[in-house]
Amino acid sequence: MPTYTLAQVAEHKTTASCWVIIRNKVYDVTDFLFDHPGGPQVILDFGGQDATAAYVPIHPSDALDKNIAPEKHLGELDGASRRELSKAKNDKVKSKDELRVEVAVKSRPLLSRIINVQDMEETAKKLLPYKAMAYYASAADDSITHIENARAFSRFFFHPRVMRAVSGCDTSTTMLGHKTSIPVYISGSALARLGHPLGEINLTRGAYKTGIIQMVSTNASLSYGQIASARGSPDQPIFFQLYKHKNDETAAKRIREVEALGYKAIFLTVDALVPSNRELDTRAPHYLEDFEKGVNPQHNSQAKEGETEILGTAGGLIINNDVDMTWERTIPWIRGTTKLPIVIKGIQCVADAVLAAEAGCEGIVLSNHGGRQLDYSLPPVELLYKVRKERPDVFSKTEVYIDGGIRRGTDVLKALCLGAKMVGLGRAFLYAQSAYGEAGVVHLARILQREIKFGMESLGVRSIDQLVPEMVERVDWQPAVGARL
């Protein structure tokens, strides 16, 4: 295999010829520049240089093999260049943000002191690199939907039944026929390695230890094979959240790959077709630049022309999504590609819930993408309530799940009383694995199980199927709930 010096690679940093170094290997990415989801400039910024530190946390290990032709894998750095890069890495001065993270990690609370979902989120936000925090926490526009997703649960109150035997309370249920210890699953979320080096593997291992189900994102930061290999046993169910690529063959290859790896269902995401306006994510590079320089942006008088780049970390992930999906074409197309169950993730109105059920989908997820796409989308629990009132037949035709805004076991139980089969949590598990790795995932699942079990016993039920609509009431007033505001 040919070897190259750093000087040779440095000569190739334009659109006419662009090479990058990743893990001491040299790649010609010229032909891929304008196919890159995040645009060519993201790559050109590292043209002729080592891009390893920027590349590794957000790309699966097989991404280069899938996107760069074999003949463009040019070779490796020579020994002297490797030593030079290694020395430069060791000599590199840590950024202010890196130093802040080191201090935060050393001072994080003992895991035993994390007693609810909110504790986990607050701890993680303090110790995450700012770019990761901004990506995980960002929401669309003014964050109205993100806030209301959680606040909406406070409009639903219980009608507990008393004098009922509740010993032996069982929190287990099934999802698409697969048993789960609690009616909670890990919702598909991208780029777990931004928060922890093991990323999605933490989620897979934590799910196995606690008997819950994990959904894996198309945009996971590890390969689908690496995640499947991390399962505690071949029987551990994992589902796949599909962002359908605009090229049918590319999408079909992805579906066939995960089916061969043992994934058990396809969750087709339909509520995030185009990049949204997530301003915290968009502002992250500017914040970090000012933070490192010690500049107060309010006092920066330099005016520069230019268009604002709003893609952020998230935008580049979905820029190749199929924006022309239809009920008439897309669902039959997936049926013709795989025998796996199909769940539609991102239903945001009653009419589409009905269409999904009529299309024979095995499940639907009432979701507005955690408030990260269209602001003022209806909170999922409110939509669930509307479906229950207006089209209760949907619940007999397909399994109904919700995600978005769940913070407590009582939130889970309200959703189940209204007819949801399961609820998903995405950010919460990202925060858990970011702050404490696999142990954080296990701890969070056990917190939820404790809260769910207590809630069931207090409602007078000892199995999930005893949770019925009569046990909740929607009210027109709201209590003061500081944690949700």
Side-chain angles (χ1 to χ4, degrees):
M1 179 177 289
T3 60
Y4 298 87
T5 65
L6 289 173
Q8 287 175 312
V9 176
E11 294 174 359
H12 302 269
K13 54 184 178 183
T14 68
T15 55
S17 180
C18 185
W19 294 6
V20 294
I21 302 162
I22 297 172
R23 295 192 181 99
N24 293 319
K25 293 185 178 180
V26 182
Y27 299 89
D28 181 350
V29 294
T30 312
D31 295 342
F32 182 65
L33 282 175
F34 293 94
D35 291 328
H36 184 253
Q41 192 59 48
V42 176
I43 299 178
L44 285 169
D45 286 345
F46 293 94
Q49 303 174 60
D50 182 21
T52 304
Y55 175 89
V56 168
I58 60 174
H59 292 87
S61 60
D62 58 353
L64 288 165
D65 292 332
K66 288 182 176 180
N67 294 293
I68 307 298
E71 62 272 18
K72 302 297 183 179
H73 296 225
L74 301 181
E76 300 181 349
L77 287 180
D78 65 8
S81 296
R82 288 184 182 220
R83 289 189 292 274
E84 187 176 339
L85 277 186
S86 179
K87 184 178 185 303
K89 181 180 178 181
N90 292 333
D91 293 344
K92 183 182 177 183
V93 177
K94 291 181 179 179
S95 69
K96 290 182 180 180
D97 195 52
E98 288 171 330
L99 293 172
R100 176 194 62 80
V101 169
E102 287 184 0
V103 172
V105 169
K106 290 177 181 177
S107 60
R108 66 183 170 182
L110 294 172
L111 186 54
S112 59
R113 297 187 181 183
I114 303 297
I115 63 173
N116 58 39
V117 172
Q118 193 69 25
D119 285 351
M120 191 70 81
E121 177 174 335
E122 290 174 359
T123 298
K125 282 182 174 179
K126 291 175 182 176
L127 56 80
L128 275 166
Y130 186 84
K131 183 178 180 181
M133 186 283 297
Y135 171 63
Y136 289 167
S138 62
D141 291 358
D142 299 307
S143 299
I144 302 299
T145 288
H146 173 55
I147 293 169
E148 287 298 326
N149 280 353
R151 218 164 71 107
F153 283 97
S154 66
R155 292 190 282 270
F156 292 84
F157 277 70
F158 290 119
H159 291 296
R161 300 304 303 271
V162 298
M163 298 295 288
R164 293 187 170 188
V166 294
S167 62
C169 181
D170 182 7
T171 62
S172 69
T173 184
T174 61
M175 184 178 189
L176 298 176
H178 300 280
K179 188 170 181 178
T180 173
S181 61
I182 54 176
V184 170
Y185 64 91
I186 301 174
S187 192
S189 302
L191 306 185
R193 288 190 73 197
L194 283 179
H196 191 283
L198 291 179
E200 288 82 7
I201 285 177
N202 285 326
L203 303 176
T204 307
R205 291 173 176 170
Y208 176 73
K209 287 187 175 179
T210 55
I212 64 175
I213 294 173
Q214 175 194 13
M215 182 199 304
V216 175
S217 172
T218 292
N219 296 315
S221 52
L222 292 170
S223 73
Y224 313 141
Q226 286 175 305
I227 297 168
S229 297
R231 288 177 296 174
S233 78
D235 297 329
Q236 179 184 347
I238 48 176
F239 300 152
F240 187 70
Q241 177 198 14
L242 175 68
Y243 286 90
K244 185 186 174 296
H245 197 281
K246 59 189 176 184
N247 181 287
D248 281 356
E249 183 51 38
T250 300
K253 285 173 62 178
R254 188 169 285 161
I255 293 171
R256 289 192 290 265
E257 177 186 359
V258 297
E259 185 172 17
L261 287 168
Y263 288 71
K264 301 299 184 184
I266 299 296
F267 280 64
L268 176 66
T269 297
V270 295
D271 62 347
L273 303 184
V274 294
S276 62
N277 185 37
R278 305 179 191 178
E279 293 177 356
L280 183 63
D281 189 25
T282 300
R283 288 192 175 108
H286 312 305
Y287 170 86
L288 284 171
E289 182 180 357
D290 292 339
F291 180 61
E292 297 301 327
K293 292 179 179 178
V295 174
N296 183 342
Q298 302 300 323
H299 297 157
N300 189 344
S301 60
Q302 292 183 356
K304 295 182 180 180
E305 294 183 1
E307 187 175 341
T308 301
E309 173 56 67
I310 65 167
L311 278 181
T313 304
L317 298 176
I318 58 177
I319 205 166
N320 285 320
N321 284 359
D322 187 349
V323 298
D324 293 318
M325 292 188 293
T326 65
W327 294 106
E328 296 78 15
R329 190 189 84 84
T330 307
I331 305 304
W333 178 83
I334 297 177
R335 288 278 183 221
T337 305
T338 180
K339 297 187 181 302
L340 293 177
I342 299 172
V343 179
I344 305 299
K345 182 181 185 299
I347 297 294
Q348 296 171 85
C349 67
V350 175
D352 281 342
V354 172
L355 287 175
E358 291 176 346
C361 296
E362 283 79 5
I364 59 175
V365 185
L366 309 183
S367 173
N368 52 42
H369 221 78
R372 291 160 75 81
Q373 284 298 117
L374 178 64
D375 215 3
Y376 290 97
S377 299
L378 202 63
V381 72
E382 291 281 11
L383 177 56
L384 178 67
Y385 179 69
K386 284 175 66 69
V387 176
R388 168 56 64 188
K389 284 203 311 180
E390 298 174 18
R391 291 300 300 263
D393 57 304
V394 167
F395 298 93
S396 63
K397 295 177 180 177
T398 190
E399 292 192 0
V400 178
Y401 321 122
I402 74 166
D403 68 28
I406 293 92
R407 295 290 183 273
R408 289 282 186 182
T410 48
D411 297 340
V412 176
L413 295 174
K414 290 172 186 179
L416 267 60
C417 285
L418 290 171
K421 181 78 170 173
M422 295 279 289
V423 305
L425 281 79
R427 284 185 179 97
F429 282 105
L430 281 180
Y431 289 137
Q433 74 93 26
S434 297
Y436 297 98
E438 177 186 332
V441 177
V442 171
H443 190 71
L444 184 66
R446 287 175 177 162
I447 287 172
L448 291 167
Q449 183 166 32
R450 168 176 54 79
E451 292 185 347
I452 291 167
K453 184 174 184 289
F454 167 79
M456 290 174 64
E457 292 168 338
S458 300
L459 284 168
V461 305
R462 56 181 170 190
S463 63
I464 296 296
D465 59 6
Q466 293 175 351
L467 296 165
V468 293
E470 293 75 24
M471 288 182 170
V472 292
E473 176 183 352
R474 189 188 185 281
V475 299
D476 293 326
W477 49 272
Q478 286 183 285
V481 186
R484 295 183 184 278
L485 301 180

Short mmCIF file of all heavy atoms in Angstrom, two decimals, residues 162-194:
data_model
loop_
_atom_site.label_atom_id
_atom_site.label_comp_id
_atom_site.label_asym_id
_atom_site.label_seq_id
_atom_site.Cartn_x
_atom_site.Cartn_y
_atom_site.Cartn_z
N VAL A 162 -59.26 2.48 44.56
CA VAL A 162 -58.72 1.98 45.82
C VAL A 162 -59.37 0.66 46.20
O VAL A 162 -60.31 0.20 45.55
CB VAL A 162 -58.91 3.02 46.95
CG1 VAL A 162 -58.16 4.30 46.62
CG2 VAL A 162 -60.40 3.33 47.17
N MET A 163 -58.85 0.07 47.25
CA MET A 163 -59.35 -1.22 47.74
C MET A 163 -59.29 -2.29 46.64
O MET A 163 -60.20 -3.08 46.44
CB MET A 163 -60.78 -1.09 48.27
CG MET A 163 -60.92 -0.15 49.47
SD MET A 163 -60.06 -0.77 50.94
CE MET A 163 -61.12 -2.14 51.39
N ARG A 164 -58.19 -2.28 45.92
CA ARG A 164 -57.96 -3.31 44.90
C ARG A 164 -56.62 -3.96 45.18
O ARG A 164 -55.65 -3.28 45.51
CB ARG A 164 -57.97 -2.69 43.50
CG ARG A 164 -59.33 -2.16 43.07
CD ARG A 164 -59.31 -1.73 41.62
NE ARG A 164 -60.66 -1.45 41.15
CZ ARG A 164 -60.97 -1.19 39.88
NH1 ARG A 164 -60.01 -1.19 38.96
NH2 ARG A 164 -62.19 -0.95 39.52
N ALA A 165 -56.57 -5.26 45.01
CA ALA A 165 -55.33 -5.99 45.28
C ALA A 165 -54.27 -5.63 44.25
O ALA A 165 -54.53 -5.72 43.04
CB ALA A 165 -55.59 -7.49 45.27
N VAL A 166 -53.10 -5.22 44.71
CA VAL A 166 -52.04 -4.83 43.78
C VAL A 166 -50.72 -5.54 44.06
O VAL A 166 -49.69 -5.18 43.49
CB VAL A 166 -51.82 -3.29 43.81
CG1 VAL A 166 -53.04 -2.57 43.27
CG2 VAL A 166 -51.47 -2.81 45.21
N SER A 167 -50.73 -6.55 44.92
CA SER A 167 -49.49 -7.29 45.14
C SER A 167 -49.08 -7.99 43.86
O SER A 167 -49.91 -8.38 43.04
CB SER A 167 -49.68 -8.32 46.27
OG SER A 167 -50.67 -9.26 45.90
N GLY A 168 -47.77 -8.12 43.70
CA GLY A 168 -47.26 -8.77 42.48
C GLY A 168 -47.44 -7.91 41.25
O GLY A 168 -47.57 -8.43 40.13
N CYS A 169 -47.41 -6.59 41.43
CA CYS A 169 -47.59 -5.67 40.30
C CYS A 169 -46.55 -5.95 39.22
O CYS A 169 -45.35 -6.03 39.49
CB CYS A 169 -47.48 -4.23 40.79
SG CYS A 169 -47.69 -2.99 39.52
N ASP A 170 -47.00 -6.09 37.98
CA ASP A 170 -46.14 -6.47 36.85
C ASP A 170 -46.09 -5.34 35.84
O ASP A 170 -47.10 -5.01 35.22
CB ASP A 170 -46.68 -7.75 36.21
CG ASP A 170 -45.83 -8.25 35.06
OD1 ASP A 170 -44.73 -7.68 34.83
OD2 ASP A 170 -46.26 -9.19 34.37
N THR A 171 -44.92 -4.74 35.66
CA THR A 171 -44.77 -3.61 34.73
C THR A 171 -44.44 -4.05 33.30
O THR A 171 -44.27 -3.20 32.42
CB THR A 171 -43.65 -2.67 35.21
OG1 THR A 171 -42.41 -3.39 35.23
CG2 THR A 171 -43.94 -2.13 36.61
N SER A 172 -44.36 -5.32 33.05
CA SER A 172 -43.94 -5.80 31.72
C SER A 172 -45.08 -5.73 30.71
O SER A 172 -46.26 -5.73 31.07
CB SER A 172 -43.40 -7.22 31.80
OG SER A 172 -44.45 -8.14 32.09
N THR A 173 -44.72 -5.67 29.45
CA THR A 173 -45.69 -5.69 28.37
C THR A 173 -44.98 -6.17 27.11
O THR A 173 -43.87 -6.74 27.20
CB THR A 173 -46.31 -4.29 28.17
OG1 THR A 173 -47.33 -4.36 27.18
CG2 THR A 173 -45.27 -3.27 27.75
N THR A 174 -45.58 -5.97 25.95
CA THR A 174 -44.94 -6.35 24.69
C THR A 174 -45.01 -5.20 23.70
O THR A 174 -45.88 -4.33 23.78
CB THR A 174 -45.61 -7.59 24.05
OG1 THR A 174 -46.98 -7.28 23.76
CG2 THR A 174 -45.51 -8.80 24.96
N MET A 175 -44.08 -5.21 22.77
CA MET A 175 -44.03 -4.23 21.69
C MET A 175 -43.76 -5.00 20.40
O MET A 175 -42.72 -5.65 20.27
CB MET A 175 -42.93 -3.21 21.96
CG MET A 175 -42.84 -2.08 20.94
SD MET A 175 -41.53 -0.90 21.43
CE MET A 175 -41.83 0.43 20.25
N LEU A 176 -44.72 -4.99 19.50
CA LEU A 176 -44.63 -5.78 18.27
C LEU A 176 -44.32 -7.25 18.58
O LEU A 176 -43.59 -7.91 17.84
CB LEU A 176 -43.56 -5.20 17.33
CG LEU A 176 -43.82 -3.77 16.84
CD1 LEU A 176 -42.65 -3.27 16.01
CD2 LEU A 176 -45.11 -3.69 16.03
N GLY A 177 -44.87 -7.73 19.69
CA GLY A 177 -44.70 -9.14 20.06
C GLY A 177 -43.45 -9.44 20.87
O GLY A 177 -43.27 -10.57 21.31
N HIS A 178 -42.61 -8.43 21.10
CA HIS A 178 -41.37 -8.63 21.86
C HIS A 178 -41.58 -8.15 23.30
O HIS A 178 -42.04 -7.04 23.52
CB HIS A 178 -40.21 -7.88 21.21
CG HIS A 178 -39.94 -8.30 19.80
ND1 HIS A 178 -39.22 -9.44 19.50
CD2 HIS A 178 -40.31 -7.74 18.62
CE1 HIS A 178 -39.14 -9.55 18.18
NE2 HIS A 178 -39.79 -8.54 17.63
N LYS A 179 -41.20 -8.98 24.24
CA LYS A 179 -41.42 -8.64 25.64
C LYS A 179 -40.46 -7.55 26.08
O LYS A 179 -39.30 -7.51 25.69
CB LYS A 179 -41.25 -9.87 26.53
CG LYS A 179 -41.65 -9.61 27.98
CD LYS A 179 -41.72 -10.88 28.82
CE LYS A 179 -42.15 -10.55 30.25
NZ LYS A 179 -42.28 -11.76 31.10
N THR A 180 -40.97 -6.68 26.95
CA THR A 180 -40.17 -5.62 27.53
C THR A 180 -40.55 -5.46 28.99
O THR A 180 -41.71 -5.63 29.36
CB THR A 180 -40.37 -4.27 26.78
OG1 THR A 180 -39.69 -3.23 27.48
CG2 THR A 180 -41.83 -3.92 26.64
N SER A 181 -39.56 -5.16 29.83
CA SER A 181 -39.79 -5.12 31.28
C SER A 181 -40.66 -3.95 31.71
O SER A 181 -41.34 -4.01 32.74
CB SER A 181 -38.46 -5.06 32.02
OG SER A 181 -37.74 -3.88 31.65
N ILE A 182 -40.65 -2.87 30.95
CA ILE A 182 -41.49 -1.71 31.22
C ILE A 182 -42.01 -1.17 29.89
O ILE A 182 -41.42 -1.44 28.83
CB ILE A 182 -40.72 -0.58 31.96
CG1 ILE A 182 -39.43 -0.21 31.21
CG2 ILE A 182 -40.43 -0.98 33.39
CD1 ILE A 182 -38.67 0.97 31.84
N PRO A 183 -43.11 -0.41 29.91
CA PRO A 183 -43.67 0.11 28.65
C PRO A 183 -42.92 1.34 28.14
O PRO A 183 -43.51 2.34 27.76
CB PRO A 183 -45.12 0.44 29.05
CG PRO A 183 -45.04 0.75 30.50
CD PRO A 183 -43.98 -0.15 31.07
N VAL A 184 -41.61 1.26 28.15
CA VAL A 184 -40.73 2.35 27.72
C VAL A 184 -39.67 1.77 26.79
O VAL A 184 -39.08 0.72 27.09
CB VAL A 184 -40.04 3.02 28.93
CG1 VAL A 184 -38.94 3.97 28.47
CG2 VAL A 184 -41.05 3.75 29.79
N TYR A 185 -39.42 2.45 25.67
CA TYR A 185 -38.33 2.04 24.78
C TYR A 185 -37.40 3.22 24.55
O TYR A 185 -37.76 4.37 24.77
CB TYR A 185 -38.87 1.49 23.45
CG TYR A 185 -39.63 2.49 22.61
CD1 TYR A 185 -38.97 3.28 21.65
CD2 TYR A 185 -41.00 2.66 22.76
CE1 TYR A 185 -39.66 4.19 20.88
CE2 TYR A 185 -41.70 3.57 21.99
CZ TYR A 185 -41.04 4.34 21.05
OH TYR A 185 -41.73 5.25 20.29
N ILE A 186 -36.18 2.90 24.12
CA ILE A 186 -35.20 3.94 23.79
C ILE A 186 -35.48 4.40 22.37
O ILE A 186 -35.29 3.65 21.41
CB ILE A 186 -33.76 3.41 23.91
CG1 ILE A 186 -33.49 2.90 25.32
CG2 ILE A 186 -32.77 4.49 23.52
CD1 ILE A 186 -32.13 2.22 25.49
N SER A 187 -35.96 5.61 22.23
CA SER A 187 -36.31 6.12 20.91
C SER A 187 -35.04 6.43 20.11
O SER A 187 -34.03 6.85 20.67
CB SER A 187 -37.17 7.37 21.04
OG SER A 187 -37.73 7.73 19.79
N GLY A 188 -35.11 6.23 18.81
CA GLY A 188 -33.96 6.43 17.94
C GLY A 188 -33.46 7.86 17.99
O GLY A 188 -34.22 8.82 17.79
N SER A 189 -32.18 8.04 18.28
CA SER A 189 -31.55 9.36 18.34
C SER A 189 -30.17 9.26 17.71
O SER A 189 -29.44 8.29 17.94
CB SER A 189 -31.42 9.83 19.80
OG SER A 189 -32.68 9.87 20.43
N ALA A 190 -29.81 10.28 16.96
CA ALA A 190 -28.54 10.25 16.23
C ALA A 190 -27.36 10.62 17.13
O ALA A 190 -27.52 11.23 18.18
CB ALA A 190 -28.60 11.21 15.05
N LEU A 191 -26.18 10.21 16.70
CA LEU A 191 -24.90 10.71 17.20
C LEU A 191 -24.69 10.57 18.70
O LEU A 191 -24.30 11.51 19.39
CB LEU A 191 -24.73 12.18 16.79
CG LEU A 191 -24.89 12.49 15.30
CD1 LEU A 191 -24.58 13.95 15.03
CD2 LEU A 191 -24.00 11.60 14.45
N ALA A 192 -24.89 9.37 19.21
CA ALA A 192 -24.66 9.15 20.64
C ALA A 192 -23.20 9.33 21.03
O ALA A 192 -22.90 9.64 22.19
CB ALA A 192 -25.15 7.75 21.03
N ARG A 193 -22.28 9.14 20.09
CA ARG A 193 -20.86 9.27 20.43
C ARG A 193 -20.44 10.72 20.66
O ARG A 193 -19.34 10.96 21.17
CB ARG A 193 -19.99 8.66 19.33
CG ARG A 193 -20.04 7.14 19.29
CD ARG A 193 -19.01 6.57 18.36
NE ARG A 193 -17.66 6.68 18.91
CZ ARG A 193 -16.56 6.54 18.17
NH1 ARG A 193 -16.65 6.32 16.88
NH2 ARG A 193 -15.38 6.64 18.73
N LEU A 194 -21.28 11.67 20.34
CA LEU A 194 -20.97 13.05 20.72
C LEU A 194 -20.88 13.18 22.23
O LEU A 194 -20.17 14.03 22.76
CB LEU A 194 -22.03 14.00 20.19
CG LEU A 194 -22.01 14.36 18.71
CD1 LEU A 194 -23.16 15.29 18.37
CD2 LEU A 194 -20.68 15.01 18.31
#
